[in-house]
Amino acid sequence: MKTAKPGFLSLRRAGPWGVLMGITALLWCSIAWSFGGAEPAVVIPAPLKDEAVATSHSETALFAGGCFWGVAGVFQHVKGVTKVVAGYTGGAADTANYETVSTGDTGHAESVQVTFDPTQVSYGSLLQVFFSVAHNPTELNRQGPDSGTQYRSALFPLSDAQKDVAQAYIVQLDASNVFGKPLVTKIESHNHFYPAEGYHQNYLVENPDAPYIAINDMPKITDLKQLFPTRYLIDPVLTPVSG
């Protein structure tokens, strides 16, 4: 079953939208609770293999793990991250828009482009947050109330070094059986990133009380703070949005 998200509805709207928004909010609360809300984070070991000590102060990584609102929101609260952009990866340019990607037939995954300072946080450390807090890597083509290939768990390495670290970490986590079942996360080569529409950027930060966010994603921020206190950034990194 494919479940769409209320991306075009803002809880800040008033007037004639009030009643519709109330009904929508109740509907989404019901849907989210029926799937149990956010799953608890899993304490996992740090990667045994990581990139070499960095000399550059900027690197980019691509992650896909369900709805990009929550994944982006998590990384916006990680120290060393300098920019987070929600978008689409895995398909063609002409289908890289929310309405089309939501059909699940484009090859795209809702993805998050994370720019970070590798002298402050490593790619391996970001992977640990991704697997532990940002999503459940054992769910195939779904996360929480959302289902479809666009919500798959995937990594899109942007260098051979990132690919080696990602592959080794998946093997390590599977061998440890820390999740109790195999990871379904795929390492994909089609890594061109297309930024999502402006209203998707900073969505968790700007809409923390929206039912979908409050139920499915805000617990991830709490988990991040509790499990990774030294990496937790109180004031999130905001993505500039033009227009």
Side-chain angles (χ1 to χ4, degrees), residues 128-200:
Q128 187 179 18
V129 170
F130 174 69
F131 285 120
S132 175
V133 174
H135 82 308
N136 182 343
T138 69
E139 290 191 331
L140 181 64
N141 295 332
R142 72 167 307 112
Q143 288 291 311
D146 299 315
S147 63
T149 58
Q150 69 273 32
Y151 300 112
R152 66 188 182 273
S153 176
L155 294 170
F156 303 91
L158 300 179
S159 68
D160 289 339
Q162 286 188 359
K163 183 177 180 180
D164 289 345
V165 173
Q167 288 178 329
Y169 199 24
I170 290 174
V171 171
Q172 177 188 339
L173 292 176
D174 272 337
S176 71
N177 197 36
V178 68
F179 288 99
K181 59 180 71 173
L183 276 66
V184 298
T185 309
K186 300 297 183 183
I187 296 177
E188 302 187 23
S189 59
H190 190 174
N191 57 21
H192 191 88
F193 177 78
Y194 303 92
E197 298 81 353
Y199 63 86
H200 288 301

Side-chain angles (χ1 to χ4, degrees), residues 43-102:
V43 178
I44 61 175
L48 297 175
K49 182 175 184 177
D50 206 341
E51 290 187 305
V53 176
T55 55
S56 168
H57 287 276
S58 184
E59 186 175 342
T60 304
L62 286 176
F63 305 90
C67 172
F68 46 23
W69 294 341
V71 179
V74 167
F75 284 117
Q76 285 179 285
H77 280 280
V78 175
K79 290 181 180 178
V81 169
T82 58
K83 186 178 181 181
V84 180
V85 183
Y88 314 105
T89 306
D94 61 353
T95 60
N97 62 80
Y98 187 64
E99 182 176 358
T100 309
V101 171
S102 292

Side-chain angles (χ1 to χ4, degrees), residues 115-136:
T115 304
F116 62 101
D117 182 345
T119 66
Q120 296 185 39
V121 60
S122 69
Y123 179 66
S125 294
L126 293 180
L127 285 178
Q128 187 179 18
V129 170
F130 174 69
F131 285 120
S132 175
V133 174
H135 82 308
N136 182 343

Side-chain angles (χ1 to χ4, degrees), residues 20-49:
L20 176 60
M21 283 168 43
I23 295 173
T24 302
L26 289 174
L27 174 62
W28 275 98
C29 281
S30 175
I31 292 174
W33 281 118
S34 70
F35 282 90
E39 296 190 35
V42 177
V43 178
I44 61 175
L48 297 175
K49 182 175 184 177

